[in-house]
Each structure stands twice: as structure tokens, then as C-alpha cells.
Amino acid sequence: MKRTHSPTFDMMLVESDMEMAQILDDEYLREEHGLELIASENYASRAVMEAQGSVLTNKYAEGYPSKRYYGGCTFADAAEKLAIDRLCQLYGAEAANVQPHSGSQANMAVYLALLQPGEKLLGMSLSHGGHLTHGSPVNFSGRLFQAVHYGLNEQTERLDYDMVRDIALREKPKVLVAGASAYSRIIDFETMGKIAREVGADLVVDMAHISGLVAAGLHPSPVPHSTYVTSTTHKTLRGPRGGIILCSAERLKAVNSWIFPGIQGGPLMHVIAAKAVAFGEALQPSFKQYQKQVILNAQALSAALIEKGFHIVTGGTDNHLMLVDLSRSKVGAGEITGKDAEGWLDLSGLTVNKNTVPHEKRSPFVTSGIRLGTPALTTRGMMEAEMKQVASWIAEVLESRGNEAVMTKVHAEVRELCEGFPVYFDEHGDDHAEGSCCDPQGGCC
Ligand SMILES: *Cc1c(COP(=O)(O)O)cnc(C)c1O
């Protein structure tokens, strides 16, 4: 390797650690040359990565701005205050904590602030699209608390608020959790808030997947209806890997002390700086254009897949993702598993994840579905026409049931498409991802 392709480092790493430089370069090329359809992934801008790779990684700043346990925190304070201010502006929230290392840490701190060990939380079941941290027995949330679950309506495959209300009235949880990892429709946070109040519970909304859409005003905001809102920062929001919490000024103290000293030590100040940069990007008008296109692309992909004979759970999407139920699809006569589909598509240059479907009959390691999302492809500038092409490739590969020749052919075509939509640099080394904006009117910059 003569020079590195990666946008995040110069020759320093090549000189000091060739072995890791090579791995990072390989990953960079993997990201450039493949179609990223994992709904929870995105490409952070170079500005975000620059902040994340900055000197703030050296700083210990246990505590909160102006109340630190270490000296030398002037600029750490400035970075964290900027992140908090921008985040509150983005969501119209009174207060925020930007220190959670991940979405899971954000949820843990919120539960600990609201529940004693052994008390009850009601969340969406994992197999119906919820998240591990919403009370799964293999997660702290199901070990520390008594977890009960609601699922989807069998006919509509949608959330059924009457059913949620019935379960809430019967179970009397102390916390009601709304939010999902694999649900393609609008979630009615206002109704969830009413149900919570009716049973004397606090509503916690985990908007990890849709926080970019909420920021752009394209999904109703949970902020007015919830005691706490949590999110990741690296999914549709397109920032660095991490978590956040939003709440009222009055509720801040309790959750702050559960993040630190409750469950974390020093904050990742370099990541907090990168979060501030990402929130700044999300406040720009171009971010709203981007999120609009994310939804249009998801709808185009879903429609094209339906046309090819796939069953899309709920029949379509209102957000950035969709769930393909292969057991109910004409393609593959309903026999292809999520695991097979994931493997074959991977060999064809399309990255997806296997996913359980509502009323799943197979194990979580096999599954009957795949989950697809458009945030990453939209960041690289792809539009409806490319989504149609992606649907054709998926159909071709799965119809062939992983035929070697078909997969090789599709892989070459995928590579060619990707070269026309560079993520960070094109083949001349020109910079392509300044702010990674995508403007459907003016083309992509
Ligand atoms: C991704 C996700 C999380 C967890 O985020 P991590 O940063 O991976 O811990 C939590 N809740 C929901 C709904 C998610 O989709």
C-alpha cells in the first residue's frame, strides 16, 4: 500500500502502524464499493470524523460543564455546551445530556432514574421490532427490571394502540417505552403519552432510528409527550457513534447523575465534539432535503420490491426502513431464510441484515426476513432510479438462490454504480462529502 485512500488519516499511520493502516484502508474501500442497506448505518461527514479524531480524546472531564472533577476543562466545557445548545435547538428541548457512550447507555440511565430494580417496564417486543434494551431477557433491561411486552396487530402488522392500552391497564407498568428498531410506520407518541398518563407511568421514547427524521420535522416529535427521550447519534442523525438524552430542565439532574457517576466514567469528549458538529449539520436546511429524500428513496425501494413479488411488512413505509418478509414473498417461494438472503446479498456487494418478522417461526440466528434502509445510500446521493436498480438486483440474487455466476455479475454492476456515487473521494481524489448534503433540486454536492 503506497498511500492510504481513507479520508480520516494522512501518512502518519502508514508510517507508524502499517498493519492497522491497511485494515482501515480495506474498510474504507469496502464502504465505498458496496451498497450499504443496513437501516441503522450511515456515513458521517469528514467534518464529524475530524472532530472525533481530535485532541479532545486526550482530556478527562468527569462531571458536567462548570462542575468538573478535573482541571483544564475550559475547552471541554465549551465543546459540551455547544453540543447541548445545538441539540436543544434541534429538538425544541429544554435540557439534554450528550454524554451517553451509546444508545444503550442512554436507556440504562433513564431506566435507573425512573425505576427501582424489580419494578415494571412495558416495551415493544424484540421479535416485533423493539430493541434489546426494551426489556429483553438477555439484556440488562430484562435482568434488572420486570419487563412485559406489547407486539403488533396480527392483521395490520402495525402498532395497535388499543392493545397497548389494554396491556398497560392490566400490567400497570411504571415506565412505558415507545420506539423501535424495525418498524416502518409513524409511531403515535401523543397516544402513547396518553396511555402512560392514564396508568400513571412515565413515557420513555427511544427514537434511535428516526431521530434524523424527527429533527427534520418529517416524523412527529416525541419531546412534548415524554418524560425522557433517548436516541443514538449515528443512525439517521448521521453523527458519530453515541447516545443522547432529552428532557425537561426539572428532570435533568436525576438522569445526569445516573450517566455520571451512575454508569459511566469520563465522557468521550472527542465524540461529544463530533456530536456538536453533527447537530450543527442537522440544523442546516440541506439536512431537511436529505431526510426528505431518505423517505422518498425508502418508498421507491419498497414499491419496486413489491412489484418484484416481495412481501413488505405493513405493505410499505413512512420512514427510512422496511422489513421484507421472505416467508410471504413469491421470490424464492417463501422458502428463503433471512440468513441465506443476507449471505447471498453480501457476496453480491449489497449489505443488509437478517431480521425477525412479526410472528416469526424461525430462530433469531436464521429468521424469515431482511431489514433494508436508505439513509446511507441517500447520503451518497442516490435517488429513486437507483432504488429501482437495487430492488432488481435483490430480486435477481434471491431468485437465483445464490447462484455464483449471478452473484459475480451483480457484484460487478454494484461496484460500477458505487463508483458513480463516491462517499468521500472520487477516483481523482476530489473531495465529495463536504457536509454530505443531498439536494434533490440541485443535485448532490
Ligand atoms: C440502535 C438502537 C439502540 C442502541 O444503540 P447502541 O448505540 O447500539 O447501544 C437503542 N434503541 C433502539 C431503538 C435502537 O434502534
Side-chain angles (χ1 to χ4, degrees):
M1 188 174 78
K2 277 224 279 296
R3 60 153 295 199
T4 148
H5 300 87
S6 173
T8 50
F9 48 78
D10 50 30
M11 295 306 286
M12 195 73 77
L13 190 63
V14 177
E15 279 162 27
S16 71
D17 188 342
M18 190 57 190
E19 219 178 335
M20 183 50 76
Q22 183 66 61
I23 292 170
L24 296 186
D25 206 46
D26 289 347
E27 170 61 12
Y28 167 66
L29 292 175
R30 187 194 69 81
E31 292 185 20
E32 282 282 354
H33 292 162
L35 287 171
E36 185 54 72
L37 285 152
I38 294 179
S40 50
E41 293 190 14
N42 212 329
Y43 301 107
S45 72
R46 291 187 61 206
V48 164
M49 290 195 288
E50 196 173 313
Q52 191 165 2
S54 71
V55 287
L56 273 172
T57 196
N58 300 325
K59 190 68 200 106
Y60 243 117
E62 280 181 358
Y64 290 96
S66 311
K67 285 172 292 215
R68 305 284 190 186
Y69 291 80
Y70 287 84
C73 285
T74 310
F75 306 112
D77 280 6
E80 187 164 347
K81 280 186 196 152
L82 187 61
I84 292 169
D85 288 349
R86 287 179 178 173
L87 180 60
C88 286
Q89 191 189 339
L90 192 58
Y91 291 103
E94 264 183 34
N97 185 310
V98 295
Q99 291 191 5
H101 300 337
S102 70
S104 296
Q105 308 280 91
N107 287 346
M108 190 178 208
V110 162
Y111 296 159
L112 288 166
L114 293 172
L115 296 165
Q116 293 297 320
E119 287 188 327
K120 200 183 272 183
L121 75 84
L122 170 60
M124 189 173 183
S125 123
L126 182 62
S127 63
H128 285 225
H131 189 258
L132 282 166
T133 56
H134 299 185
S136 161
V138 300
N139 182 261
F140 77 89
S141 56
R143 292 288 298 267
L144 232 48
F145 308 107
Q146 194 191 338
V148 285
H149 291 105
Y150 57 87
L152 300 172
N153 179 294
E154 198 153 353
Q155 259 75 57
T156 63
E157 303 177 316
R158 294 186 187 220
L159 276 170
D160 177 339
Y161 298 95
D162 293 333
M163 188 168 81
V164 176
R165 183 170 173 270
D166 289 346
I167 298 171
L169 284 167
R170 186 179 72 226
E171 296 285 349
K172 297 254 175 295
K174 207 165 169 216
V175 164
L176 175 62
V177 186
S181 298
Y183 185 65
S184 66
R185 298 299 182 176
I186 300 285
I187 301 178
D188 183 352
F189 297 128
E190 190 179 351
T191 298
M192 292 298 274
K194 280 187 190 143
I195 295 169
R197 277 192 300 281
E198 191 181 344
V199 303
D202 279 295
L203 178 65
V204 171
V205 171
D206 175 355
M207 62 170 181
H209 258 268
I210 54 168
S211 52
L213 307 181
V214 172
L218 302 172
H219 187 294
S221 173
V223 172
H225 312 293
S226 325
T227 306
Y228 289 110
V229 175
T230 63
S231 182
T232 54
T233 47
H234 48 276
K235 297 179 183 174
T236 49
L237 195 49
R238 206 168 58 182
R241 193 157 291 282
I244 50 165
I245 302 167
L246 306 172
C247 59
S248 65
E250 177 197 12
R251 295 284 191 164
L252 184 65
K253 210 171 162 209
V255 86
N256 274 359
S257 62
W258 273 114
I259 285 289
F260 173 83
I263 63 170
Q264 294 185 176
L268 309 174
M269 286 314 308
H270 55 308
V271 177
I272 290 173
K275 286 174 181 172
V277 173
F279 303 152
E281 290 176 0
L283 285 163
Q284 302 304 312
S286 58
F287 190 74
K288 184 164 183 166
Q289 286 306 314
Y290 161 66
Q291 297 293 350
K292 271 190 184 158
Q293 193 60 45
V294 165
I295 296 175
L296 289 173
N297 282 352
Q299 290 172 342
L301 181 59
S302 159
L305 286 167
I306 290 170
E307 208 175 292
K308 297 274 175 198
F310 288 101
H311 178 81
I312 303 293
V313 175
T314 78
T317 177
D318 302 325
N319 60 24
H320 63 297
L321 67 77
M322 69 217 66
L323 207 50
V324 184
D325 186 343
L326 296 164
S327 73
R328 298 176 65 183
S329 295
K330 271 200 224 94
V331 178
E335 288 162 4
I336 295 173
T337 67
K339 188 179 174 206
D340 281 340
E342 181 188 297
W344 294 334
L345 290 170
D346 198 29
L347 292 169
S348 313
L350 298 112
T351 313
V352 310
N353 64 279
K354 62 179 177 290
N355 213 103
T356 53
V357 295
H359 314 288
E360 177 65 67
K361 292 186 182 67
R362 294 191 170 100
S363 96
F365 299 104
V366 181
T367 80
S368 305
I370 51 174
R371 187 185 64 166
L372 306 174
T374 54
L377 297 192
T378 310
T379 290
R380 66 193 298 173
M382 293 184 185
M383 311 281 276
E384 287 91 333
E386 286 74 39
M387 298 305 116
K388 269 193 141 166
Q389 179 61 67
V390 169
S392 298
W393 283 327
I394 292 174
E396 204 177 335
V397 170
L398 298 193
E399 250 153 22
S400 83
R401 301 201 183 206
N403 175 286
E404 291 285 342
V406 171
M407 293 194 299
T408 305
K409 185 202 81 132
V410 169
H411 203 163
E413 290 169 356
V414 163
R415 170 77 184 261
E416 201 185 323
L417 178 73
C418 287
E419 276 169 6
F421 293 89
V423 183
Y424 294 108
F425 296 108
D426 64 20
E427 71 275 22
H428 311 296
D430 289 335
D431 193 342
H432 256 263
E434 278 309 74
S436 299
C437 63
C438 177
D439 171 4
Q441 268 78 51
C444 282
C445 58

